Amino acid sequence: MTTTPMVKADRVCKSFGALKVLNGVSLEIERGQVLCMVGPSGSGKSTFLRCINHLEQVSAGRLYVDGDLVGYEERGDKLYELRPRVAARQRRDIGMVFQHFNLFPHRTALENIIEAPTQVKKVRKKDAVVRARDLLDQVGLSEKIDAYPAQLSGGQQQRVAIARALAMDPKLMLFDEPTSALDPELVGEVLGVMKTLAKEGMTMVVVTHEMGFAREVADQLVFMDGGVVVESGEPREMLANPQQDRTKAFLSRLL
């Protein structure tokens, strides 16, 4: 029995004008797997992540999430862009956590978390609040329920952002360098929440420079450079014994 991969990228390209950011990226992520993407700044990692939930349109190729073509429908051999409302419906099944938290500054932790379920999914406020309390407890912030973002540390804000993404019950979570804006001593608390999610079977794509996390948690490690996948494989094996010169050079600076 073959199962549909949670994410399938087939020769995905993305250009901004003359600049080719993604140049034929193909990869698959099975459900329940964690894929970590590493590579130098500007290698296309974040753009690829944004294409998965159609925050960016692909210029060529195909991207599927849970068997569904992202952002387009196929008629004959032509692609037609989905109407914004239909694309938004696809997107709500995909949680995304950004580098810079993106919390509403004028709303408390609780209000940030219940916003999307009540507005987008029309969940009853009472039910959304129960779920939000549970999620804040999961990320270790039950005592910060009424705190505003400005009253929270970076690590706490990022954990609220993760809880907010989980409130939509996504089938896939995308993390775009979730710890890179944090002070070093706060990184562990965010990675701890992500490790728990991985153990619980959440499918995750993580753009990160945290090689310890990749080694311990990821099922697959992908090294990107210049808009292409240079090398991919089992994380421990790849970190210990990279095959490509570009991978070796990159990892030697990090490890």
Side-chain angles (χ1 to χ4, degrees), residues 123-226:
V123 173
R124 287 189 316 178
K125 185 174 178 186
K126 190 173 74 174
D127 297 334
V129 168
V130 169
R131 174 87 171 117
R133 286 179 180 279
D134 182 41
L135 286 167
L136 280 169
D137 191 39
Q138 270 183 48
V139 299
L141 289 174
S142 43
E143 79 291 354
K144 298 293 186 185
I145 194 162
D146 295 319
Y148 288 90
Q151 299 167 315
L152 300 171
S153 71
Q156 290 169 335
Q157 287 186 60
Q158 193 60 296
R159 284 186 281 157
V160 171
I162 293 172
R164 177 182 61 178
L166 291 172
M168 291 293 279
D169 293 317
K171 52 190 172 187
L172 170 66
M173 285 282 284
L174 309 176
F175 293 87
D176 190 6
E177 304 209 13
T179 57
S180 64
L182 300 178
D183 293 333
E185 69 270 20
L186 302 177
V187 167
E189 59 191 51
V190 173
L191 293 181
V193 171
M194 292 168 65
K195 284 175 190 172
T196 303
L197 276 181
K199 279 197 193 96
E200 290 167 355
M202 175 62 76
T203 312
M204 293 158 53
V205 187
V206 184
V207 171
T208 186
H209 291 295
E210 299 292 336
M211 293 302 148
F213 176 82
R215 186 185 286 111
E216 186 185 338
V217 180
D219 300 285
Q220 197 182 152
L221 182 63
V222 167
F223 171 64
M224 280 184 72
D225 195 10

Side-chain angles (χ1 to χ4, degrees), residues 77-169:
D77 55 355
K78 280 220 167 73
L79 288 185
Y80 296 89
E81 190 163 358
L82 293 178
R83 294 193 306 281
R85 180 177 289 181
V86 182
R89 202 175 302 138
Q90 264 189 348
R91 195 178 291 129
R92 72 186 191 187
D93 289 332
I94 304 171
M96 182 143 185
V97 177
F98 299 88
Q99 197 171 342
H100 293 291
F101 329 136
N102 293 8
L103 297 174
F104 296 116
H106 57 293
R107 298 212 165 98
T108 63
L110 178 78
E111 290 165 345
N112 263 286
I113 294 167
I114 67 171
E115 173 82 6
T118 54
Q119 298 300 315
V120 179
K121 280 194 163 176
K122 306 301 178 198
V123 173
R124 287 189 316 178
K125 185 174 178 186
K126 190 173 74 174
D127 297 334
V129 168
V130 169
R131 174 87 171 117
R133 286 179 180 279
D134 182 41
L135 286 167
L136 280 169
D137 191 39
Q138 270 183 48
V139 299
L141 289 174
S142 43
E143 79 291 354
K144 298 293 186 185
I145 194 162
D146 295 319
Y148 288 90
Q151 299 167 315
L152 300 171
S153 71
Q156 290 169 335
Q157 287 186 60
Q158 193 60 296
R159 284 186 281 157
V160 171
I162 293 172
R164 177 182 61 178
L166 291 172
M168 291 293 279
D169 293 317

Side-chain angles (χ1 to χ4, degrees), residues 4-65:
T4 310
M6 183 57 82
V7 179
K8 180 179 178 180
D10 180 16
R11 295 166 298 185
V12 169
C13 297
K14 173 66 185 174
S15 299
F16 295 100
L19 179 67
K20 268 194 165 175
V21 182
L22 297 174
N23 201 359
V25 173
S26 295
L27 51 84
E28 288 189 7
I29 303 149
E30 302 304 328
R31 35 193 88 236
Q33 278 200 336
V34 177
L35 177 137
C36 281
M37 304 190 90
V38 300
S41 195
S43 58
K45 309 179 302 291
S46 294
T47 300
F48 180 69
L49 222 53
R50 293 171 68 85
C51 288
I52 293 177
N53 69 352
H54 203 54
L55 288 175
E56 299 287 358
Q57 300 169 336
V58 301
S59 307
R62 307 267 195 283
L63 249 173
Y64 301 87
V65 170

